[in-house]
Amino acid sequence: TTQDAEYLVIAGGGGGGMGNAGGGGAGGLLTNFSGAAISLVSGTTYAITVGDGGAGKGSSVTGDGSNGADSVLAGSDITDITTVGGGGGGGSGTGSGLAGGSGGGGGYNGSGGAGTSLQGNAGGTQSTAGPEYGAGGGGGAGAVGTAGTNAKAGDGGVGLSNSITGAAVFYAGGGGGSNNTSTTSNSGSGGNGG
């Protein structure tokens, strides 16, 4: 026998970079909710891999955040559904965010990482002006990460709303960027669903 199935597959999000750094990008998102169902066959084994989030860099560790891991729904009789881990945020000493499902935000004078087509969006760019030299927000499934400004770090891109559980919930929002000073109100906020 067969059973029609809907899926929502989201990869692990990227980690933030070190210091005045970009926010991590959201993990890639793919869904067939409200679209064409896939058919699953009784007695067939289907493997589900849930990707871990990427590690961030602490304040004393130079570098970019790590990318998240991919998530996969696989079976012998279906086309594998693979979402790409989110891009790590660019570090304050390293620059551009990393590419991923959604891209990480730019750190030190860097651009945002690219997102994966149909899964996410790019991260935002860091500002080159002080006093905050705001880092870029990570990309989200629904929008690019916001660029930083001289006064504030960029917010993470918004996720996408999905009602596969019966209630509308946002998933896969990007992480907020960080700022140069200790004024926490000038840091970026995570995107809805992040």
Side-chain angles (χ1 to χ4, degrees):
T1 59
T2 62
Q3 176 68 51
D4 287 343
E6 295 172 324
Y7 61 81
L8 172 62
V9 181
I10 304 171
M18 181 277 290
N20 183 194
L29 182 154
L30 289 172
T31 184
N32 68 342
F33 180 71
S34 296
I38 59 173
S39 294
L40 303 182
V41 179
S42 177
T44 301
T45 298
Y46 299 93
I48 298 172
T49 302
V50 179
D52 290 335
K57 286 292 191 295
S59 59
S60 62
V61 182
T62 300
D64 303 327
S66 299
N67 280 18
D70 297 351
S71 291
V72 184
L73 170 60
S76 60
D77 59 346
I78 62 172
T79 300
D80 290 358
I81 298 157
T82 302
T83 53
V84 179
S92 62
T94 48
S96 297
L98 304 180
S102 283
Y108 185 74
N109 200 23
S111 60
T116 299
S117 178
L118 304 179
Q119 297 192 21
N121 291 282
T125 300
Q126 186 189 33
S127 172
T128 58
E132 291 295 6
Y133 302 94
V144 299
T146 303
T149 70
N150 68 315
K152 186 182 182 299
D155 295 334
V158 67
L160 286 176
S161 179
N162 191 288
S163 299
I164 196 168
T165 63
V169 176
F170 277 85
Y171 298 92
S178 62
N179 53 310
N180 186 53
T181 72
S182 59
T183 306
T184 56
S185 60
N186 292 339
S187 297
S189 299
N192 197 356

